[in-house]
Amino acid sequence: MLTSLSIRNVVLIEALDLEFGAGLSVLTGETGAGKSILLDSLGLALGARADSGLVRAGEAQASVAATFDPPAHDHRAWALLAENGIEPEPGESLLIRRTLKADGGSRAFVNDQACSAALLRELGGALVEIHGQHDDRGLLNPRGHRALLDAYGRSDLAAVTQAHAAWRDAVDRLAQARATLDNATRDRDYLAHAVEELSRFAPEPGEEATLADERAAMQKGARLSDDLSAVAECLTGSDGGLAQLRQAARRLDRIAGEHPALAEVLASLDRAVIEAGEAEDRLAEAAEALSFDPARLDTIETRLFDLRGLARKHQVQPDDLAALAQDMAARLAAIEGGEEHVAALEAEVVNKAAVYRSAAQALSAERQMAAGRLDAAVAAELAPLKLDAARFRTVVAPLDEGQWGPQGMDRVEFEISTNPGAPFAPLVKIASGGELSRFILALKVALAEQGGADTLIFDEIDRGVGGAVASAIGERLARLARTNQILVVTHSPQVAARGAGHMLIAKSSDGTVTRTGVHALDEAERREEIARMLSGAEITAEARAQAERLLERV
């Protein structure tokens, strides 16, 4: 609900601070007093185009601030603010402010946080509906008609929304499976050949290092074989060093008792024989370790060359070939089983689509029934508003399958025919502004509490009518005001008498400067203003009496 409006330096308004209450508030005044300036100011705060012509002559800047009571927790305004990184404190009012410089530059704020004018427009549309001669938002926008009809018919969209999500999920999974299968099928021959080749070769992790080490050892043995043979020849054999040492030890053993020194020599020879024997054993072990088989070396080198060649071919490290073989085998198996998987997903998509179609068709039937009830409710409101020749209908038409969505498969639009025999057309095509406002009022009354902004503003809805029609307009505005805050700019005393609050817009001049002001009327002032509206320039006793009767009737 709009609680206050503060205007500074907008056209003829120098400084104005207004407070608004719940229910129906009426704004009256003589033609040219500045009612349009008031609405233009509010429009500026709600994100309308920033026209530098709104800045009061001689001033550098204009500003407008509108304060709203905190909307309900599930109001669309909160989602808009959250999407734009603005999160007011719980229970905090919303302050929307716009400044406009004389050179045309403007700035927008929500609770003193800078924002875009686009956000103000969205936020303003969620908080306030302004219905005037050139309004093309709110009920005139077909994009909102389906939601309004669903709210009116109390349709539950949960089943359709869930079925649509399940259907789209199945479609996405099918598309992914088909893409995977298509890509894999193109590689079928390559994968089959690669899997067969790798399986036949049977690479193992760590094999390259093992082969390389064995090859290096065998190559080293080949290089050292001559030296090892020569050393062995020196040590072993009948003429080798070890045999000579043993022979010398045997001879010395026979004469060692002849002199102590010979015993010492014998001990030394015994140690040498032992060491030489150990050396002979170690030499044999080394020769065995470094021995090589040319055929084995050739096999190792061939295997190592092929292993590295496969790795280069598949652009992996040799140690990764075994894992690559497993991966390719799995991909090949997926191709072979992919067609069955795709067939299963196709069946699931058909099933999910049928579930969605069934739920959406049930919703369509609900909408058709709700449309009939809404058409009848609107029709009942037309005649009292001097629209008895007009006809209203709610079109519920099927969408193309590509346009089906979480809200079903229907397009919904409100259409009217204003004259007998005239074709039906969208609401926005109505030529007469006053007629349009009354039609919006009839539709609003029929829809009652079914969504929309909390604050509704009607600009001269009673233009061109009077008497019983004006009374009917006032009665319906008062009815709407039970659930919404209603502000109406009016020239009709019958409408003005219905207001819970009454503000007078007047123009004043001190000879050099002209100003527009707004004054909240008390009961006596209100009676006098309604009398003026009844009688014109000269207020008569009869007009005052008639004003009294109008106020008493409401």
Side-chain angles (χ1 to χ4, degrees), residues 329-351:
R331 288 165 60 189
L332 187 60
I335 294 174
E336 295 168 352
E339 293 181 356
E340 294 182 4
H341 180 56
V342 167
L345 286 175
E346 287 174 341
E348 183 180 356
V349 168
V350 171
N351 176 262

Side-chain angles (χ1 to χ4, degrees), residues 86-142:
I86 300 175
E87 297 185 3
E89 293 294 328
E92 183 179 4
S93 296
L94 292 183
L95 173 62
I96 297 176
R97 184 165 58 89
R98 187 94 175 272
T99 61
L100 173 62
K101 294 182 179 180
D103 62 8
S106 71
R107 298 186 67 192
F109 304 87
V110 175
N111 284 22
D112 292 327
Q113 296 185 54
C115 67
S116 65
L119 173 59
L120 280 197
R121 281 192 294 275
E122 285 193 83
L123 191 59
L127 295 169
V128 179
E129 288 182 20
I130 301 178
H131 298 293
Q133 294 190 53
H134 307 292
D135 182 50
D136 60 355
R137 299 166 297 173
L139 291 177
L140 300 186
N141 189 342

Side-chain angles (χ1 to χ4, degrees), residues 5 16 135 171 199 237 281 352 362:
L5 182 66
L16 187 61
D135 182 50
V171 168
S199 298
D281 293 340
K352 298 295 186 185

Side-chain angles (χ1 to χ4, degrees), residues 6 24 40 137 246 251 341 409 427 438 440 443 465 536:
S6 179
L24 174 61
D40 287 343
R137 299 166 297 173
R246 286 172 177 164
R251 289 187 176 184
H341 180 56
M409 55 174 80
L427 289 175
R438 280 181 279 139
I440 292 294
L443 187 52
V465 300

